[in-house]
Amino acid sequence: MAIKRQIVKSILFYKNKYPILALTGPRQSGKTTLLRELFPDYQYISLENPDTRAFLQEDAKGFFEKYSKYCIFDEAQRVPELFSYLQTIVDESKIMGQFILSGSQNFLLLKNITQSLAGRVALFKLFPFDFWELKSANLLAKDYVDAMLKGSYPAIFDRDIPSRTFYNNYIQTYVERDIAEIINIRDMRTFRIFLSLCASRAGQLLNLNSLANECGITQPTAKSWISVLESSYILFLLQPYHKNFDKRVIKSPKLFFYDTGLLCHLLKIKDANQIRTHSYKGNIFENMIVSEYIKQNYHQNQMQEFWFWRDSAGHEVDLIRQDDDTLNVIEIKSTKTISADLFKGLNYFSALAKDTIKSQTLVYAGLDNQKRTIAEVVSWKDINNYI
């Protein structure tokens, strides 16, 4: 069955307001399927095809006589000169929604858009399924442990591919290939170790020196590899909220993966029972909830910013979302039992932030939602109703 994607509403809205739309996101997140279903009348051109790339590079005039308007250019970053041609065409034609670009290498795609197409492009990001999308198709797991382990890449659901098989192939076929195209990695085995070490730090403060030392690489190399993994939508860094509140605050970012299925695979977690007793269970649960907020932010095109907050004494709130000048504060706990201790972080932060707080939410692993004086208590499976 086809699963509805939240991002469709925004794409259709901006199609009539910009001459070019660009859709980026990780490989296998459903970009090509979405665009071909949404725009069946557009010509589809894959620039992964070497013959098509050669046609454009060797005979641009002939290429654009054939593909003059209403075209989808997939993996557009493959041919950087494409962007200059499109700039001239759309500036002359004034046609809205004339071209659609898609790509999986965010860094290269954005670089070309910034250089040639600034102000002409509406940019969107599509990630693997979010909870709203899975719930709408009755595919969201009933148990949070199963949801974390399975992950949310479309092929796992559409083609019923076992998660372990999918993620093993995904790393070899896409992640390693993309990384090798962007930077020169002489020893892929060392990079695989680096990727696993990143997984062991999910939900934790990023210490580049420690990560580099454990992997046997230099700190600049570790920084470069993190940057490439970010641009390939494998992981992201959540920055700390810097307002001091007269306390010393932590300035290092926290590391998260966009997909917990991939995270579990890298941690060599093979079944749900293993997660339940795993020392990283809390980190994986926090990762799933934080990434869900990030995914829904992009899928709903909200363009909000997110942080975490922690001071040097260890007081912390897991996620902060800004709403104009006020803050939505979220605490995340991998327990099914609600107790007073779960609200300590929220209580401490609310005493500091005071009038700047708009809402407080406790997301937990249970199934019941409650309205408490200090915060809304929300089940992990229902957070889409509170975003």
Side-chain angles (χ1 to χ4, degrees):
M1 64 179 295
I3 297 180
K4 296 178 182 178
R5 305 305 306 258
Q6 287 200 78
I7 204 169
V8 166
K9 182 178 179 181
S10 292
I11 291 176
L12 292 178
F13 178 80
Y14 285 102
K15 173 180 172 288
N16 299 318
K17 301 183 182 301
Y18 283 85
I20 300 173
L21 306 180
L23 183 64
T24 186
R27 288 189 182 274
Q28 296 288 295
S29 63
K31 297 184 298 298
T32 301
T33 299
L34 173 65
L35 292 176
R36 298 192 77 168
E37 289 179 353
L38 199 56
F39 302 106
D41 296 334
Y42 278 56
Q43 295 183 85
Y44 174 79
I45 304 100
S46 174
L47 293 173
E48 289 271 38
N49 186 318
D51 293 335
T52 304
R53 291 202 303 272
F55 183 11
L56 170 56
Q57 292 165 331
E58 296 167 7
D59 183 10
K61 182 179 179 182
F63 183 89
F64 285 107
E65 284 179 357
K66 182 174 182 180
Y67 305 118
S68 59
K69 62 181 178 179
Y70 303 126
C71 299
I72 299 168
F73 293 111
D74 203 357
E75 297 302 333
Q77 77 280 349
R78 289 275 190 178
V79 188
E81 52 266 44
L82 168 72
F83 297 80
S84 296
Y85 288 117
L86 295 184
Q87 175 189 347
T88 302
I89 293 170
V90 300
D91 285 352
E92 291 177 355
S93 71
K94 310 294 184 184
I95 297 173
M96 297 297 105
Q98 186 167 3
F99 298 110
I100 298 173
L101 309 178
S102 177
S104 301
Q105 293 181 355
N106 186 42
F107 172 76
L108 297 175
L109 186 65
L110 289 182
K111 179 182 177 183
N112 288 311
I113 287 174
T114 302
Q115 290 176 346
S116 302
L117 298 174
R120 301 168 179 87
V121 179
L123 184 64
F124 305 92
K125 294 182 181 180
L126 182 71
F127 291 93
F129 295 135
D130 60 47
F131 286 177
W132 181 92
E133 293 166 345
L134 290 172
K135 286 175 73 174
S136 69
N138 199 31
L139 290 173
L140 182 63
K142 293 181 172 61
D143 190 319
Y144 76 95
V145 171
D146 293 326
M148 293 193 303
L149 184 64
K150 188 166 189 174
S152 55
Y153 274 86
I156 294 172
F157 298 89
D158 295 344
R159 288 179 268 153
D160 197 26
I161 300 175
S163 294
R164 288 177 61 188
T165 302
F166 173 80
Y167 289 111
N168 186 59
N169 291 333
Y170 188 80
I171 291 172
Q172 294 182 34
T173 307
Y174 297 110
V175 178
E176 292 180 359
R177 190 188 77 175
D178 278 354
I179 298 301
E181 286 183 357
I182 298 173
I183 53 176
N184 181 25
I185 297 179
R186 297 175 183 174
D187 184 0
M188 191 56 72
R189 180 178 175 275
T190 301
F191 179 77
R192 291 191 193 105
I193 293 171
F194 179 80
L195 196 53
S196 295
L197 289 172
C198 286
S200 71
R201 287 160 169 78
Q204 301 176 33
L205 296 176
L206 175 63
N207 184 326
L208 274 176
N209 286 327
S210 170
L211 185 59
N213 289 337
E214 192 169 347
C215 192
I217 58 177
T218 65
Q219 197 256 22
T221 297
K223 186 176 182 179
S224 172
W225 288 4
I226 287 284
S227 178
V228 173
L229 288 168
E230 282 188 279
S231 68
S232 299
Y233 299 106
I234 301 303
L235 55 78
F236 62 95
L237 301 181
L238 185 67
Q239 299 298 327
Y241 187 68
H242 283 302
K243 188 167 183 179
N244 202 314
F245 300 123
D246 298 323
K247 298 286 182 180
R248 291 183 61 194
V249 295
I250 297 297
K251 296 184 179 179
S252 298
K254 290 175 74 172
L255 184 151
F256 293 97
F257 280 71
Y258 279 109
D259 187 83
T260 56
L262 177 59
L263 173 58
C264 288
H265 179 79
L266 291 169
L267 291 171
K268 295 181 169 52
I269 296 174
K270 299 176 182 179
D271 58 57
N273 289 331
Q274 195 177 350
I275 294 183
R276 295 182 201 282
T277 57
H278 204 287
S279 59
Y280 289 160
K281 184 184 79 168
N283 298 71
I284 301 169
F285 183 77
E286 180 183 343
N287 194 126
M288 180 173 71
I289 300 305
V290 171
S291 65
E292 181 64 20
Y293 273 91
I294 300 298
K295 284 194 292 185
Q296 295 224 23
N297 176 58
Y298 284 119
H299 290 172
Q300 296 176 19
N301 203 35
Q302 293 178 334
M303 294 179 282
Q304 293 180 319
E305 292 187 86
F306 292 84
W307 303 273
F308 75 98
W309 179 86
R310 180 188 292 183
D311 68 14
S312 58
H315 300 107
E316 179 180 20
V317 287
D318 294 317
L319 196 61
I320 296 174
R321 185 182 71 211
Q322 186 158 353
D323 189 354
D324 297 324
D325 294 326
T326 57
L327 306 176
N328 300 284
V329 187
I330 299 114
E331 187 75 336
I332 302 166
K333 300 293 184 183
S334 61
T335 177
K336 294 183 177 182
T337 305
I338 301 171
S339 65
D341 286 348
L342 303 185
F343 300 97
K344 282 184 177 179
L346 292 174
N347 281 319
Y348 188 88
F349 187 77
S350 65
L352 292 176
K354 297 178 181 176
D355 295 338
T356 60
I357 293 180
K358 180 179 181 181
S359 70
Q360 296 196 119
T361 305
L362 173 69
V363 180
Y364 79 124
L367 299 178
D368 296 326
N369 302 320
Q370 299 179 6
K371 188 171 181 62
R372 297 286 187 106
T373 303
I374 181 65
E376 292 275 358
V377 179
V378 179
S379 168
W380 67 275
K381 65 180 178 59
D382 291 328
I383 63 172
N384 58 284
N385 297 328
Y386 295 83
I387 294 177

